[in-house]
Structures are given as structure tokens and as C-alpha cells.
């Protein structure tokens, strides 16, 4: 009986999260915009903090390696319904726009790397999935809500941030403002 109640509760929570994502809750995600350039930090106009993470395939990736091209950082987890809802939109954007997407997985919250690999295969994702094994980058970017995304311009400056799911239209609109 407890198992049925738990499964029902999970299904209801997932359904509600998907409903809010699709229909919208009447609120836009928290967004910061500005064009003033400051030092390294997390505010719009600041240089994005650099980091190195290893991909699921074992390849080391560093944020500064992508200078010269816009980058979207997306902090996510497989257990997060809004993260699941926005992944197809990220894949569509990756295939249609000149942008690098670095999907940073909150690895220590996952059951296993196989869970992440199964997720990638289920959604047919082709952009880099970086494993934040000890949550160091998640903490560096002060991520408290999943998903959280940052759009970084070709110079490494944060131009947009969103706490909560974003859809293809928001991604494309904000990316069009970035070099």
C-alpha cells in the first residue's frame, strides 16, 4: 500500500511539474539582463567563472575552451521533471543554432552513471554532458533550483540567466541577443 501511495505521489508531482512547464505558471523564470561588464561573477555582465569537468565519456572540458562561440550552461538532473521537459528543446537548439550547450549533471544526486547514460539515450542528446561529481561547479554557480541555465557570449560574459525551465522560444530569443 505504501508503495502504491509513493508511486502515485511521484506521478502526481511529475505531472504537475510538466503541466506548469507546458502551460506556464503565469510567471516568467527569474531573469537578469544587463550589458555592463564587470569582473568574474554570476551577475549579468560579469565574466563566467571558469571550470573543468569531465564528460560522461571521460573527456575533460574547460569552459574557456569555448571562447569565440556562445555557450549555454544548463544545470540539471535526471530526477528533475522540469529538466526532463526542457531537454528536447535544448537538443533542438543545439541542432539548429551555432551554440555550444554544456549540460552539467548534478552527478552526486544520481543513482548511477548508467541512469544518466540511459537518460541521454532516451532523449537522443548529442551535446556534451558534464559530470559534476562533487557539486563543485554547481556550488560555484550558486545553483539552488533545477534546472538553472546561463547564456554566455563569445567573450565569456554572462548575458542571461534563468532559474527554472526555459523553452525553445526563450532560448532562441535570448541567444539571438548574444554574439
Amino acid at each position: 500500500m505504501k508503495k502504491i501511495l509513493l508511486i502515485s505521489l511521484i506521478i502526481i508531482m511529475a505531472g504537475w511539474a510538466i503541466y506548469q512547464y507546458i502551460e506556464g505558471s503565469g510567471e516568467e523564470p527569474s531573469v537578469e539582463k544587463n550589458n555592463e561588464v564587470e569582473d568574474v561573477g554570476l551577475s549579468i555582465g560579469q565574466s563566467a567563472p571558469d571550470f573543468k569537468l569531465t564528460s560522461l565519456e571521460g573527456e575533460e572540458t574547460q569552459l574557456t575552451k569555448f571562447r569565440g562561440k556562445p555557450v549555454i550552461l544548463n544545470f540539471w538532473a535526471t530526477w528533475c521533471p522540469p529538466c526532463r521537459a526542457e531537454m528536447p528543446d535544448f537538443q533542438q537548439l543545439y541542432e539548429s543554432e551555432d551554440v555550444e550547450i554544456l549540460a552539467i549533471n548534478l552527478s552526486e544526486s544520481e543513482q548511477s552513471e548508467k541512469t544518466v547514460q540511459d537518460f541521454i539515450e532516451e532523449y537522443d542528446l548529442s551535446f556534451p554532458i558534464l559530470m559534476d561529481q562533487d557539486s563543485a561547479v554547481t556550488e560555484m554557480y550558486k545553483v539552488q533550483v533545477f534546472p538553472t541555465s546561463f547564456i554566455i557570449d563569445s567573450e565569456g560574459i554572462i548575458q542571461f540567466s534563468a532559474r527554472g525551465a526555459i523553452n525553445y522560444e526563450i532560448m532562441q530569443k535570448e541567444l539571438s541577443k548574444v554574439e
Side-chain angles (χ1 to χ4, degrees), residues 7-144:
I7 291 170
S8 298
L9 181 61
I10 291 170
I11 291 171
I12 290 169
M13 288 173 41
W16 180 252
I18 292 169
Y19 170 77
Q20 284 188 318
Y21 175 75
I22 292 170
E23 294 298 316
S25 63
E27 299 177 13
E28 289 288 316
S30 317
V31 173
E32 301 174 33
K33 297 179 184 179
N34 171 337
N35 290 325
E36 295 176 21
V37 177
E38 299 175 12
D39 297 338
V40 174
L42 300 175
S43 296
I44 305 305
Q46 291 185 309
S47 293
D50 194 23
F51 61 84
K52 285 183 187 178
L53 284 175
T54 303
S55 72
L56 193 56
E57 293 78 27
E59 188 176 310
E60 189 173 87
T61 300
Q62 185 169 358
L63 178 60
T64 53
K65 169 184 162 189
F66 299 98
R67 290 277 164 90
K69 185 174 188 178
V71 175
I72 298 178
L73 298 182
N74 176 251
F75 292 85
W76 69 284
T78 62
W79 48 261
C80 163
C83 300
R84 288 179 163 274
E86 72 179 359
M87 280 301 175
D89 287 351
F90 276 114
Q91 183 61 38
Q92 181 183 0
L93 188 76
Y94 187 69
E95 292 172 357
S96 66
E97 301 290 336
D98 187 25
V99 63
E100 191 62 52
I101 296 174
L102 301 178
I104 300 172
N105 179 263
L106 182 61
S107 306
E108 69 181 4
S109 75
E110 300 289 356
Q111 291 180 356
S112 68
E113 282 192 6
K114 181 165 179 9
T115 304
V116 179
Q117 186 61 48
D118 291 346
F119 181 92
I120 293 166
E121 290 171 11
E122 177 184 347
Y123 287 87
D124 198 24
L125 302 177
S126 60
F127 47 82
I129 305 296
L130 305 179
M131 307 300 284
D132 194 6
Q133 299 290 353
D134 59 2
S135 300
V137 177
T138 301
E139 290 173 18
M140 177 190 300
Y141 276 79
K142 298 184 184 343
V143 176
Q144 297 175 343

